[in-house]
């Protein structure tokens, strides 16, 4: 890109940089603003009198003596017991990721190593399942869950999320296993391994990059889900996202919007850390489907 | 791989999908044809010294017996599909005969819950998808021209709106565009109208929801296109330059054709995802101005009275909508597959 022919004229360069700055502000500013505001009182966060109050926290200073306060976080985590929801989310995400990767790896490996025609149809079927909005399935779950008395418990939501996750996991891992040369496990089979032994001894040691990438997206699906967990979990077993929605209903009447703001910021932190450490994997995961598909 | 081995490897994931995706679809379709039994009422007359009064109670035993006999409920055929909450054929027929102008007819139709939701869902899907593809492409081209060290930073910040939980992202934006929030204040200042509130106006609410949709999905298009830009053949670009192509012509005739398969991919994924728009409506508390098909299902399922039949019927209609959206892709895949030498 260093040849003179490709050097851009000044006007274009300024235009491009301006556009990037505008997008950067659009993408990042809401988060910065909300994190900053979450340490203020409501009168500052929603400052009707003077918007600079939200920056300098004049009302917060008048109430607490400092321009920053952890009152919102205290209210959400201690008073409203948000930590319970955080623990529930941790449990759900952990088990969803572990289970869906285990069964997804086996299934996707089989799909990639079997040359039969039904592989194509199974993948198409998975694509159709992927297109199904999860909420349309919920009215199919509820009567059965009520009948069997399994409604409201964490394991129920884990199994449902694992299943909803499978089509995507299969697609992603399938395209990843396709990129691992078939000669690897075939030579293991020639040496006398069964298919499963070949998988265990030859494929498992080299599959981790693809599995980690897929795992990140499984985690995102479980963590971000709102529709299914709200419908399937009882009030005492709520994960973080349904709990935030419940906050919106209860705290707004009590004038404690700041609890919800603090909870929202708390729920964003794990995602932020994830992007920080796994940016490369997320990008490769997003593009893997595109380049193959 | 032998069929048998394949079967055992594939069994766990197949079971999960059969039991929790395929079976619920069957169950949803069945439910959409059945109404719950009505409770059996008994009228009893209590006569006392001050006259008689009748009271109505539910005969629990008889009701339970009804459920025992027909556990699915009363068979309703297509009645639920045609009722006011769904396709509302009777209401539309009436509107057709009584209304005097097209605008009157459409205003009646768009006040019916299903059509109101359908109108917003389709508008959202077909405005957001092209817009986010265009924005994503513009960002990709711009970031690609940056210095190598800045690109990683740009990708990091660009990923945030997409990665963040939809409900959380919409709440964050909603608090900012609130009349007391910083953007809401700014818009009031721009419009010179201190009473302007996005929450009070239907068109403004639709615009905010669509802006949210573009904001949260453009990063996906950006990342995919950015990866595609790295593989644009430099030889073709150079020869087009030698032939005198301007910068714009290079993009138009070399870059965009090269990225076309990726555009199809992003459009497919985003059509599927935008059609299920739901969380922003909850986050923006926009239900008074805009509803979507997913929102109707959620609303029917929630609350004290779980209207399973109504929710199931809307679910089936939504699934049909997804099928129609996907059909061009499926037909093309089918043709490719048949055209492929076996």
């Amino acid at each position: 890109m260093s040849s003179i022919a490709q050097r851009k004229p000044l006007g274009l360069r300024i235009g491009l940089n301006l556009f990037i700055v505008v997008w950067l502000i659009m993408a990042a500013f809401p988060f910065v603003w909300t994190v900053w505001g979450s340490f203020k009182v409501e009168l500052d966060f929603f400052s009707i009198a003077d918007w600079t109050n939200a920056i300098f926290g004049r009302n917060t200073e008048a109430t607490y003596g400092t321009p920053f306060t952890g009152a919102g976080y205290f209210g959400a985590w201690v008073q409203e017991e948000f930590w319970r929801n955080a623990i529930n989310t941790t449990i759900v995400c952990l088990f969803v990721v572990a289970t869906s990767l285990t069964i997804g790896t086996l299934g996707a490996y089989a799909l990639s190593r079997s040359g039969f025609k039904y592989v194509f149809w199974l993948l198409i079927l998975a694509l159709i399942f992927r297109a199904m909005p999860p909420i349309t399935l919920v009215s199919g779950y509820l009567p059965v869950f009520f009948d069997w008395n399994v409604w409201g418990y964490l394991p129920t939501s884990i199994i449902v999320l694992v299943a909803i996750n499978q089509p995507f996991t299969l697609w992603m891992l399938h395209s990843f296993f396709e990129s691992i040369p078939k000669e690897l496990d075939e030579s293991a089979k020639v040496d006398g391994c069964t298919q499963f032994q070949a998988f265990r001894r030859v494929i498992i040691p080299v599959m981790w990059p693809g599995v980690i990438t897929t795992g990140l997206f499984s985690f995102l699906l479980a963590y971000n889900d709102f529709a299914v967990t709200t419908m399937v979990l009882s009030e005492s077993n709520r994960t973080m996202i349904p709990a935030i929605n419940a906050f919106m209903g209860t705290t707004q009447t009590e004038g404690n919007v700041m609890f919800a703001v603090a909870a929202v910021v708390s729920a964003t932190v794990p995602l932020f850390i994830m992007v920080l450490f796994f940016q490369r994997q997320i990008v490769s995961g997003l593009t893997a489907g595109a380049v193959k598909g | 791989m032998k069929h048998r081995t394949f079967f055992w490897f594939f069994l766990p994931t197949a079971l999960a999908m059969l039991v929790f995706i395929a079976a619920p679809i069957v169950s949803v379709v069945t439910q959409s044809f059945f109404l719950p039994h009505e409770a059996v009422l008994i009228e009893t007359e209590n006569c006392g010294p001050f006259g008689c009064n009748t009271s109505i109670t539910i005969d629990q035993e008889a009701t339970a017996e009804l459920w025992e006999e027909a556990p699915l409920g009363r068979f309703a055929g297509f009645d639920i599909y045609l009722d006011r909450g769904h396709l509302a054929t009777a209401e539309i027929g009436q509107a057709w005969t009584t209304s005097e102008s097209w605008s009157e007819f459409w205003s009646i139709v768009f006040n019916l819950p299903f059509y109101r939701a359908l109108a917003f869902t389709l508008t959202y899907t077909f405005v957001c998808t092209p817009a986010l593809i265009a924005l994503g492409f513009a960002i990709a081209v711009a970031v690609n021209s940056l210095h190598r060290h800045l690109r990683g930073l740009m990708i990091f910040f660009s990923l945030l709106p997409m990665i963040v939980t939809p409900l959380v992202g919409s709440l964050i934006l909603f608090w900012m565009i609130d009349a007391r929030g910083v953007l809401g204040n700014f818009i009031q200042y721009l419009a010179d109208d201190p009473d302007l509130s996005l929450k009070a106006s239907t068109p403004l609410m639709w615009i905010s929801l669509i802006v949210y949709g573009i904001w949260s999905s453009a990063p996906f298009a950006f990342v995919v296109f950015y990866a595609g830009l790295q593989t644009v053949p430099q030889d073709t670009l150079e020869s087009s330059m030698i032939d005198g192509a301007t910068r714009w012509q290079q993009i138009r005739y070399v870059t965009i054709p090269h990225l076309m398969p990726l555009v199809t991919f992003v459009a497919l994924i985003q059509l599927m995802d935008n059609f299920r728009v739901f969380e922003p409506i909850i986050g923006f508390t926009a239900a008074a101005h805009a509803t979507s098909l997913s929102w109707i299902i959620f609303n029917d399922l929630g609350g004290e009275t779980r209207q399973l039949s109504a929710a199931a019927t809307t679910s089936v209609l939504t699934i049909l909508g997804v099928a129609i959206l996907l059909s061009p892709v499926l037909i093309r895949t089918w043709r490719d597959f048949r055209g492929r030498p076996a």
Side-chain angles (χ1 to χ4, degrees), chain A residues 245-268:
Chain A
N245 186 47
F247 270 5
M248 294 305 299
T250 54
T251 56
Q252 252 173 353
T253 46
E254 296 162 15
N256 279 328
V257 181
M258 293 322 290
F259 292 7
V261 177
V264 157
V265 172
S266 315
T268 319

Side-chain angles (χ1 to χ4, degrees), chain B residues 297-315:
Chain B
I297 302 174
F298 184 82
N299 198 40
D300 281 345
L301 285 175
E304 289 294 300
T305 55
R306 295 184 184 269
Q307 295 167 301
L308 291 177
S309 295
T313 311
T314 315
S315 299

Side-chain angles (χ1 to χ4, degrees), chain A residues 212-226:
Chain A
I212 288 173
T213 308
T214 316
L216 286 172
F217 284 89
S218 299
F219 168 80
L220 275 181
L221 182 131
Y223 190 88
N224 287 347
D225 178 82
F226 170 62

Side-chain angles (χ1 to χ4, degrees), chain A residues 113-221:
Chain A
R113 291 301 184 260
S114 167
F116 297 109
K117 261 194 176 167
Y118 50 67
V119 168
F120 172 80
W121 294 112
L122 286 173
L123 282 172
I124 288 293
L125 197 66
L127 179 71
I128 295 173
F129 284 163
R130 157 75 175 78
M132 213 72 73
I135 185 100
T136 58
L137 302 173
V138 172
S139 52
Y141 298 141
L142 290 183
V144 184
F145 288 173
F146 285 137
D147 273 1
W148 295 354
N149 266 328
V150 292
W151 182 85
Y153 301 110
L154 289 180
T156 316
S157 74
I158 290 171
I159 295 178
V160 169
L161 287 175
V162 165
I164 291 178
N165 220 341
Q166 278 310 295
F168 174 77
T169 312
L170 280 182
W171 265 92
M172 199 137 161
L173 283 174
H174 170 253
S175 73
F176 174 72
F177 280 127
E178 291 271 277
S179 70
I180 296 181
K182 290 190 174 55
E183 286 76 21
L184 265 183
D185 36 332
E186 265 161 24
S187 57
K189 275 162 79 180
V190 169
D191 289 346
C193 282
T194 63
Q195 186 81 46
F196 186 76
Q197 282 172 328
F199 173 70
R200 200 166 62 97
R201 292 175 193 274
V202 180
I203 300 298
I204 286 188
V206 297
M207 74 177 185
W208 294 110
V211 169
I212 288 173
T213 308
T214 316
L216 286 172
F217 284 89
S218 299
F219 168 80
L220 275 181
L221 182 131

Side-chain angles (χ1 to χ4, degrees), chain A residues 29-38 45 261 264-265, chain B residues 172 175-176:
Chain A
F29 176 66
F31 296 99
V32 177
W33 181 261
T34 311
V35 170
W36 184 262
S38 69
F45 186 68
V261 177
V264 157
V265 172
Chain B
I172 287 178
W175 286 325
M176 291 177 76

Side-chain angles (χ1 to χ4, degrees), chain B residues 7-327:
Chain B
F7 175 78
W8 287 113
F9 267 94
F10 201 67
L11 184 68
T13 174
L15 265 184
M17 287 197 287
L18 270 182
V19 175
F20 289 99
I21 301 180
I25 294 175
V26 176
S27 151
V28 164
V29 174
T30 329
Q31 280 182 55
S32 70
F33 291 111
F34 288 92
L35 277 168
H37 290 293
E38 274 164 14
V40 182
L41 304 176
I42 355 174
E43 214 167 282
T44 43
E45 204 169 38
N46 294 320
C47 285
F50 307 107
C52 294
N53 56 347
T54 54
S55 65
I56 294 171
T57 51
I58 296 175
D59 186 344
Q60 301 288 359
E61 257 178 48
T63 314
E65 221 168 79
L66 265 182
W67 280 106
E68 192 92 352
E69 269 170 33
L72 286 172
R74 288 178 292 142
F75 182 72
F78 280 98
D79 283 2
I80 315 174
Y81 284 90
L82 303 180
D83 72 5
R84 192 182 181 281
H86 299 97
L87 294 177
T89 38
E91 282 78 4
I92 289 187
Q94 202 188 0
W96 182 254
T97 47
T98 54
S99 55
E100 271 149 26
S101 63
W102 278 103
S103 63
E104 197 188 334
F105 174 69
W106 287 118
S107 81
I108 294 176
V109 169
F110 287 130
N111 271 321
L112 293 164
F114 179 78
Y115 293 99
R116 208 164 84 90
L118 189 66
F120 176 73
T121 311
L122 289 178
T123 315
Y124 182 86
T125 310
F126 287 102
V127 173
C128 275
T129 312
L132 74 89
I133 287 177
L135 180 63
F137 180 73
I139 302 169
V141 170
V143 169
N144 201 35
S145 73
L146 277 181
H147 189 265
R148 208 154 40 85
H149 296 300
L150 283 173
R151 293 182 189 176
L153 200 70
M154 274 307 296
I155 294 175
F156 173 76
F157 283 109
S158 302
L159 280 177
L160 287 178
M162 180 193 69
I163 287 295
V164 79
T165 315
L167 185 76
V168 164
S170 53
L171 279 174
I172 287 178
L173 280 203
F174 178 65
W175 286 325
M176 291 177 76
I177 63 163
D178 188 281
R180 300 165 298 159
V182 62
L183 281 183
N185 257 322
F186 185 61
I187 292 168
Q188 282 172 353
Y189 168 77
L190 282 186
D192 202 15
D193 175 5
D195 296 323
L196 185 78
S197 168
L198 293 172
K199 281 190 278 187
S201 136
T202 302
L204 287 178
M205 203 59 186
W206 280 40
I207 292 172
S208 346
L209 285 168
I210 287 171
V211 166
Y212 165 79
I214 297 170
W215 178 74
S216 63
S217 300
F220 171 66
F222 154 59
V223 169
V224 172
F225 293 149
Y226 176 75
L229 283 178
Q230 310 308 311
T231 63
V232 170
Q234 293 302 315
D235 301 356
T236 324
L237 263 187
E238 259 169 45
S239 41
S240 77
M241 253 183 280
I242 291 167
D243 289 347
T246 62
R247 215 168 283 279
W248 166 245
Q249 281 169 332
Q250 287 168 31
I251 289 188
R252 172 71 189 78
Y253 294 106
V254 181
T255 312
I256 291 184
H258 178 77
L259 293 183
M260 225 35 210
L262 298 185
V263 173
T264 323
F265 165 77
V266 173
L268 169 71
I269 298 280
Q270 286 304 321
L271 282 179
M272 294 194 301
D273 285 355
N274 288 334
F275 193 73
R276 60 173 77 156
V277 50
F278 165 58
E279 280 101 338
I281 295 181
I282 300 277
F284 280 50
T285 47
H289 302 291
T291 53
S292 72
L293 295 178
S294 300
W295 184 85
I296 295 189
I297 302 174
F298 184 82
N299 198 40
D300 281 345
L301 285 175
E304 289 294 300
T305 55
R306 295 184 184 269
Q307 295 167 301
L308 291 177
S309 295
T313 311
T314 315
S315 299
V316 174
L317 292 170
T318 310
I319 291 174
L320 287 179
V322 172
I324 293 169
L325 272 185
L326 268 186
S327 56

